[in-house]
Amino acid sequence: MGHITKSSWVPSVPLRVNAEGVEPAALLLGADGRVRGDADMVFEGQPVHPSGAVRHEQASLVLALHEVEADVERIVIAGVADGGALTALAPDGATVASYAVPGSPDATAVVFAEFFRESGGWKFGGIGKGYGSGLAGLVTEFGVEVAEAEESSEPAAAGPVPLAGVVKMPGQAPPADGAVVPSGPFPPADGAVVASGPFPPAEGAVAPGGPFPPLDRPYELVEGWEFGPVFEPFTILGDDDQVVTVDGRVPPGPVLVEAAHEDRGYFGVFPLDRRNKDGDYLFNTTLPDFTGSSVVPAPTGRALRLRVRADRRWVMRVKPVAAARRLQGTLRGYGPEALLYTGGVADLQVNFEGNEDGGGYVGLWCHEVAGRTGLTDRPTLLLNRTHPLRRTVPLPAGPLLLLFKAEGPWTLTVKELD
């Protein structure tokens, strides 16, 4: 079973965590030892954390420790069991940590172990604490809100024990405290060229494109949309990693950021907080010929700084939120996109095709923006999955700002209800 350890350093790489015969769950905890919201619990019924750093896949957990938000101090691993053996594997299959918990007749759920920050890295520590109140009682201790589970007369199925006994309240994804994301026109970084359209392709390279509208599409505002400041758009080009400082030409408030990354490779955009540390990512992808958009707040009282990580050339354009695409009829896209909905109560059909490997993440957050000047603190989480799908989700009446995240091509069709 590999080595058994009470506490040890682990590499900050994606780790696959298995608990033999158990469907594991992860709880992402802040400095106070509690989750920030129900979205900080990842398990079979809620398989992806909004940050994308923790996922439930095939009866195991994948922890991308290098992508975990700065506000998360500990990741606790639990499951419905009276004991068992937990193992953490590196990408090459090597065991980096493991811990065995003896079975207890009084326990119906157990905290196996935890991953915690120390001296700029991550350590693994065994815990082995059982709970007679089941998983619902266990997660409540860490601040997760649960609803009563309905009793079933069906016999328990053989195989891995599901996370029965925990019925999630409506999923909502809180933002990280103090996280600020891009806004405002960037002055060009040294050597960067500001242009009115997307960059020309390098010799032999394919320029960013696909079904997402190009960054030089006409400047248009959705009629009647009142959320976010209005200003002239701008474009900045870059190559490889850069830190960009935003000036004050854009008023504080939500703005639209469109981006494209040339060819293949990694592309990420991270706002820097007051301490010059990364906040929640704006873009974090390896999609080829990436294009995407999102909506984020321009801060008040200080310049916004963005850290861009890129393997190839990239372009970003900042516009008013009212310049985002409007969701009506059928739309097709590729990658994350911010969409505006101004219709009535409707059903939204989502067709996500997945990535090149047949998987990929898809998520949808809904901000009800009527009468608001900033993003909703706790947007409604409508979709959160890690595989291709066809699904219908309900939409309330607009005006809505929909933040759609997808690692591949997608089609959205909205059908208003009578």
Side-chain angles (χ1 to χ4, degrees):
M1 189 191 64
H3 62 287
I4 299 177
T5 181
K6 182 71 175 178
S7 180
S8 63
W9 290 100
V10 294
S12 295
V13 297
L15 301 178
R16 184 170 291 276
V17 179
N18 302 305
E20 184 178 357
V22 179
E23 287 282 357
L27 297 162
L28 286 73
L29 310 180
D32 61 355
R34 297 173 64 83
V35 298
R36 296 164 299 174
D38 287 348
D40 278 346
M41 180 178 177
V42 177
F43 69 116
E44 185 180 22
Q46 184 169 273
V48 183
H49 189 262
S51 69
V54 180
R55 302 185 182 194
H56 182 282
E57 297 180 355
Q58 300 176 344
S60 62
L61 293 165
V62 177
L63 313 181
L65 295 177
H66 60 297
E67 296 179 2
V68 174
E69 300 158 296
D71 288 346
V72 175
E73 295 288 337
R74 300 165 55 202
I75 302 176
V76 167
I77 310 299
V80 177
D82 60 359
L86 190 79
T87 305
L89 304 176
D92 63 0
T95 300
V96 299
S98 59
Y99 190 68
V101 180
S104 170
D106 298 326
T108 56
V110 63
V111 173
F112 290 98
E114 66 177 346
F115 295 84
F116 58 94
R117 295 185 189 272
E118 185 170 310
S119 301
W122 287 89
K123 293 185 85 172
F124 171 89
I127 296 178
K129 182 178 180 181
Y131 289 77
S133 54
L135 192 65
L138 184 158
V139 300
T140 300
E141 181 173 309
F142 295 101
V144 175
E145 297 180 8
V146 299
E148 292 294 330
E150 295 182 4
E151 294 186 3
S152 173
S153 60
E154 297 294 326
V161 180
L163 297 186
V166 175
V167 179
K168 294 296 295 162
M169 302 297 284
Q172 295 175 314
D177 292 341
V180 183
V181 279
S183 63
F186 315 135
D190 293 342
V193 179
V194 177
S196 59
F199 49 75
E203 185 176 353
V206 179
F212 183 84
L215 300 193
D216 60 349
R217 68 186 174 93
Y219 177 76
E220 300 173 348
L221 300 180
V222 171
E223 184 177 356
W225 187 267
E226 299 180 350
F227 182 69
V230 176
F231 55 92
E232 289 298 318
F234 76 95
T235 303
I236 183 171
L237 283 75
D239 192 358
D240 296 328
D241 297 355
Q242 290 187 20
V243 174
V244 178
T245 300
V246 177
D247 66 17
R249 286 177 287 171
V250 171
V255 298
L256 176 72
V257 179
E258 297 176 337
H261 181 248
E262 185 181 43
D263 203 7
R264 292 179 178 269
Y266 177 74
F267 178 66
V269 178
F270 303 83
L272 297 172
D273 63 18
R274 293 180 181 273
R275 299 177 299 166
N276 215 28
K277 293 186 177 182
D278 287 349
D280 286 344
Y281 66 82
L282 179 57
F283 302 110
N284 186 33
T285 183
T286 57
L287 279 176
D289 297 323
F290 168 78
T291 57
S293 70
S294 189
V295 171
V296 292
T300 301
R302 68 179 180 91
L304 181 86
R305 287 166 51 79
L306 302 172
R307 184 168 71 92
V308 179
R309 294 178 54 197
D311 292 334
R312 304 285 185 176
R313 292 189 296 174
W314 50 267
V315 58
M316 286 194 291
R317 174 167 286 187
V318 176
K319 298 178 178 179
V321 175
R325 280 209 292 176
R326 182 178 175 183
L327 177 60
Q328 53 183 354
T330 297
L331 287 182
R332 292 176 175 83
Y334 173 77
E337 186 163 357
L339 300 167
L340 311 183
Y341 180 66
T342 59
V345 174
D347 286 337
L348 179 64
Q349 296 179 355
V350 181
N351 179 13
F352 172 56
E353 299 178 29
N355 59 22
E356 295 176 321
D357 299 325
Y361 173 71
V362 59
L364 177 63
W365 286 261
C366 174
H367 291 265
E368 299 184 51
V369 299
R372 296 186 61 88
T373 58
L375 293 174
T376 312
D377 289 338
R378 291 178 63 87
T380 301
L381 180 61
L382 298 177
L383 189 61
N384 189 39
R385 288 293 182 266
T386 57
H387 50 75
L389 57 79
R390 294 175 181 267
R391 182 159 301 184
T392 300
V393 296
L395 292 180
L400 305 177
L401 168 63
L402 301 175
L403 297 183
F404 187 68
K405 294 184 179 181
E407 296 178 341
W410 50 264
T411 302
L412 302 178
T413 301
V414 62
K415 296 185 176 181
E416 292 192 48
L417 305 180
D418 295 333

